Amino acid sequence: MVTGATGVFVIPAVHYLDSLNLTKEELVQAVGLSFTVSTVALAVALSLKGEFHFAAAESSLVAVLPALLGMFIGQRVRNKLRPEVFRICLLVGLVVLGAYMIIRAIVR
């Protein structure tokens, strides 16, 4: 319900997957798979409603390049962190991201 109401996949998915006590590698793979499936489902739903616009998709494709660089850097950092530290960093990062989104919505 949270994802449907907000369009944000992160909140329910990451906390649920984190509760499964997966290893950090399994957690990252599960989160990645969850986001991929959710994004594809959203694209299909938008296409079926006639709301998918390729102009927006082009700019998203350009954004993949820095995302890939971030994934590469994140993988290097993740390999050096103990599992407990990784989980704390992940959850703190989500809190910071959430706070940024709230502040941005208020400032607009």
Side-chain angles (χ1 to χ4, degrees), residues 29-48:
Q29 288 178 354
V31 168
L33 183 59
S34 172
F35 291 170
T36 300
V37 169
S38 299
T39 302
V40 170
L42 179 60
V44 168
L46 288 172
S47 295
L48 292 174

Side-chain angles (χ1 to χ4, degrees), residues 9 18-19 22 34 63 71-72 77 90 105:
F9 309 126
D18 185 47
S19 74
L22 303 170
S34 172
M71 286 172 51
F72 176 77
V77 171
L90 175 66

Side-chain angles (χ1 to χ4, degrees), residues 52-66:
F52 186 83
H53 304 289
F54 281 100
E58 290 173 1
S59 60
S60 292
L61 287 175
V62 172
V64 167
L65 297 176

Side-chain angles (χ1 to χ4, degrees), residues 102-108:
I102 290 169
I103 291 167
R104 189 170 148 203
I106 291 171
V107 171
R108 282 189 183 180

Side-chain angles (χ1 to χ4, degrees), residues 14-98:
V14 171
H15 293 294
Y16 169 72
L17 293 171
D18 185 47
S19 74
L20 297 177
N21 292 322
L22 303 170
T23 67
K24 61 183 177 179
E25 295 303 320
E26 291 170 334
L27 178 61
V28 169
Q29 288 178 354
V31 168
L33 183 59
S34 172
F35 291 170
T36 300
V37 169
S38 299
T39 302
V40 170
L42 179 60
V44 168
L46 288 172
S47 295
L48 292 174
K49 293 285 187 181
E51 297 295 326
F52 186 83
H53 304 289
F54 281 100
E58 290 173 1
S59 60
S60 292
L61 287 175
V62 172
V64 167
L65 297 176
L68 290 173
L69 176 62
M71 286 172 51
F72 176 77
I73 294 169
Q75 185 177 24
R76 298 277 184 192
V77 171
R78 184 177 70 242
N79 289 335
K80 295 180 185 210
L81 294 177
R82 291 179 315 187
E84 309 82 41
V85 175
F86 170 75
R87 287 189 194 286
I88 291 170
C89 290
L90 175 66
L91 296 176
V92 167
L94 290 176
V95 168
V96 169
L97 180 61

